[in-house]
Structure formats: C-alpha cells, structure tokens
Amino acid sequence: MESLLHSQIELFGRITNSFENLKKVGSASITLGIVEARFQALEKNWEKFEAQHDKLLARHWDALADFDYRKNDMQATAEDAYLQQKGLYLDALRTLKGRITTENSVAASDAPHPPHPPRTTLPRIQLPQFFGRYEEWPSFRDLFHSIIGMDTTTTQVEKLHYLKFCLKGEAELLVRNLPTTDENFDRAWNVLINYFENKRLLVRSYISKFTALQKLKGESASDLCQLYHDVMSTVGSLEGIGRPITRGED
C-alpha cells in the first residue's frame, strides 16, 4: 500500500506541474510537437493515477482512513489539477495551430504561382460558326476573339483547333491547308481578316440585306416591330464597322 501511495503522490506532482514544466523549455523552443508530446504524457499519468486509485479503493480503503490521501480526498484534488492542466494544453495547441495556419497562408500568398499547365482536353464551349458571309464577319470576329483569342490559358494550337472548328464553307477553305501548329493561328486569323475586313464589301452586303427586306403587308404591331429591328440591325452593323449612315463615301 505504501508503495502505491508514494506512486500516487509522485503522479500528483507530475500532473499538477505538467504545464509549468513545459514553460521552462522557453517560448522560443516550444513547438507543436513538444506540446503534443507533453499533453500525451499528462494523459498517461492521469490514466495511471486513476488505475492505482482503483487498486487502493479495492484493497486498502479501510486502512487509508488514517492517511492524508483519503482524509484530503487526493483523488478529487488530482482530478481538478488534471482538468486545469488539460485546458491549458488545449489552449496552447489551438494557439499554435492557428499561428501555423496563418504563417502557411502568408507563405502561400507570397510564393510565386506556377504557370497553368497546358490542357490536353479542350472544354466544350458553345462557339459561333462562320460560313463566309461578309455581313456576319464582324460579329463572329468579336465573339471568337473574346471567348478564345483573349484566353491566356489556351495555347495557340488549341486556338487554331477552335477556329477551324468554327469555320464552314468558303471561310474554311481559306485556312484548310494551314498545318495545325502554334505559329499558324496568327497566320490563319490574319488570312480571315485580310479577306473579310473589306469595309466596302461589308457596306454593300449590309445595304443589300436592307434593301431585300420585304414590304409590309399590313400595319400590325408585330410587322412594324420587325421592320424596326431590321432597320436598327443594319444601322448598328454599319456603325460597328465605322461606316454610319451619315457618311456616304461607300
């Protein structure tokens, strides 16, 4: 019994002074690993204290009546000390983990970001198709350029794949024989610009489309609305290529 009592008193001292002994290491030397190791030691000491307390109760309870261990209820005192020490360790662990998370976030934000790796699978994008009609070139040009041409994550050869996919008819014939390589995207795009950026032909195409509008068969609201939209479409197209209806040189 005396050996058990001596062991309990020793364990009580370890439990009570556990966190204080950790601080003796010095704040500069306290790491997450050291705190976790000390915390695990506290848990083991408490488990051993409880196990030995159960032995004392089972074998020597009556004999303990004359000892301070039972008189002062050392088990309850040790439990309070254990819970207090455990709380200190949990607070310390939370603080250290929060500090590490913050430091990692700062380091990640300061680190150079690697370039985007080239994609091997092209995404499915709803792209416009161009059949070679002059009046459709400006809208196709602007839409394709905004979706694909300005995309910095898409390689030049991928852009050429997209372009060839979108071209049909006469437009496709212009670039059909260009090999699908990085350097040929700009070449193909310039071929299309040189061929379809003929503003005089664009103006004639828009005017021809306008003069081909069917005459009104009646004065219904829907017919008038359709005529209005057709006229405004032609006006907008002419202004879009820098040839407003106020200019007559074309």
Side-chain angles (χ1 to χ4, degrees), residues 122 127-130 137 140-141 144-145 148 156-168 171-172 175 178 184-192:
L122 299 181
L127 292 174
Q129 292 186 336
F130 180 57
W137 165 250
F140 169 79
R141 175 199 62 203
F144 185 89
H145 182 64
I148 301 299
Q156 294 293 90
V157 69
E158 288 175 336
K159 291 179 182 180
L160 185 53
H161 274 295
Y162 281 127
L163 182 60
K164 287 188 173 183
F165 173 79
C166 294
L167 299 178
K168 308 295 179 183
E172 187 271 334
V175 299
L178 287 177
N184 277 339
F185 170 71
D186 289 335
R187 185 179 303 171
W189 190 247
N190 288 329
V191 167
L192 295 173

Side-chain angles (χ1 to χ4, degrees), residues 117-154:
R119 292 195 302 266
T120 57
T121 303
L122 299 181
R124 295 181 179 179
I125 303 176
Q126 293 295 329
L127 292 174
Q129 292 186 336
F130 180 57
F131 290 85
R133 288 190 283 271
Y134 280 93
E135 66 272 14
E136 295 177 356
W137 165 250
S139 60
F140 169 79
R141 175 199 62 203
D142 295 341
L143 186 56
F144 185 89
H145 182 64
S146 64
I147 296 175
I148 301 299
M150 297 179 64
D151 185 0
T152 58
T153 64
T154 303

Side-chain angles (χ1 to χ4, degrees), residues 14-20 22 35-36 38-47 50 77-95:
R14 291 182 183 179
I15 292 170
T16 304
N17 299 315
S18 178
F19 195 78
E20 190 65 29
L22 170 67
V35 175
E36 289 179 340
R38 294 267 185 169
F39 183 43
Q40 291 173 6
L42 173 68
E43 294 288 319
K44 290 181 179 179
N45 286 335
W46 173 244
E47 290 176 3
E50 282 195 308
T77 305
E79 183 177 14
D80 289 340
Y82 160 70
L83 293 175
Q84 182 182 16
Q85 297 294 304
K86 183 174 182 177
L88 293 172
Y89 275 109
L90 291 175
D91 289 341
L93 287 171
R94 188 179 299 111
T95 300

Side-chain angles (χ1 to χ4, degrees), residues 133-135 194-208 241 250:
R133 288 190 283 271
Y134 280 93
E135 66 272 14
N194 292 334
Y195 191 85
F196 292 104
E197 289 281 348
N198 189 322
K199 292 188 177 181
R200 185 176 295 275
L201 291 178
L202 284 172
V203 170
R204 290 181 181 178
S205 177
Y206 291 139
I207 296 299
S208 296
I241 62 172
D250 293 313

Side-chain angles (χ1 to χ4, degrees), residues 8 13 27 62 91-92 96 112 150 209:
Q8 289 294 81
S27 58
D62 292 335
D91 289 341
L96 281 173
M150 297 179 64
K209 185 178 180 181

